Amino acid sequence: MKTEWKIFLTIAAFLLGATILYGAWTYADSNGRVEWVGTVALLLSFLLCSMCGGFFWFVSRRIDLRPEDRADGEIADGAGEIGFFSPGSYWPFGLALAAAIAGLGLVFWQFWLLGLGLVAVVFATCGLLFEYYSGTRRTAEH
């Protein structure tokens, strides 16, 4: 995690500098008015990268060094079981469909469609999250 937080915080520092430079440039170029759309977009990008970098920094302080983070790490040090990865799921499609319905409700300003879409988003998110925690789980071993 050491490498990840350094990368994200370096990008965040660049974005902060770009935000300040962009705001100053548009202020000087347009007779004292800042172009807010680009400035806010750069600022939000800075905040997102800072949030990711801060999370990785927080986690890296609480876990042991991984083989990727050590200068003397070997490829064989990373061998072994990594975790469980889903072989396939239909829930992401349902989540995308629910988000599209909510988006259409927002675009056409139909509150009933927006509410229906948001309820479907919550349902699909719960389905995706608890996919392997509900019912009896069948594995290839049995």
Side-chain angles (χ1 to χ4, degrees), residues 30-67:
S30 61
N31 299 327
R33 297 185 67 186
V34 175
E35 198 278 312
W36 287 108
V37 174
T39 306
V40 170
L42 284 169
L43 182 65
L44 290 175
S45 299
F46 157 73
L47 291 173
L48 180 63
C49 281
S50 297
M51 183 178 63
C52 292
F55 172 75
F56 285 136
W57 173 75
F58 182 78
V59 169
S60 72
R61 291 179 41 215
R62 285 164 173 68
I63 64 172
D64 294 330
L65 282 178
R66 300 175 304 163

Side-chain angles (χ1 to χ4, degrees), residues 39-122:
T39 306
V40 170
L42 284 169
L43 182 65
L44 290 175
S45 299
F46 157 73
L47 291 173
L48 180 63
C49 281
S50 297
M51 183 178 63
C52 292
F55 172 75
F56 285 136
W57 173 75
F58 182 78
V59 169
S60 72
R61 291 179 41 215
R62 285 164 173 68
I63 64 172
D64 294 330
L65 282 178
R66 300 175 304 163
E68 305 88 84
D69 296 330
R70 294 193 330 251
D72 64 338
E74 296 289 332
I75 293 175
D77 294 340
E81 185 176 334
I82 296 174
F84 172 76
F85 297 97
S86 177
S89 175
Y90 292 109
W91 284 110
F93 176 74
L95 185 59
L97 185 64
I101 291 171
L104 284 173
L106 193 61
V107 165
F108 293 115
W109 208 244
Q110 297 294 318
F111 293 111
W112 67 272
L113 191 59
L114 177 62
L116 179 72
L118 290 177
V119 167
V121 164
V122 169

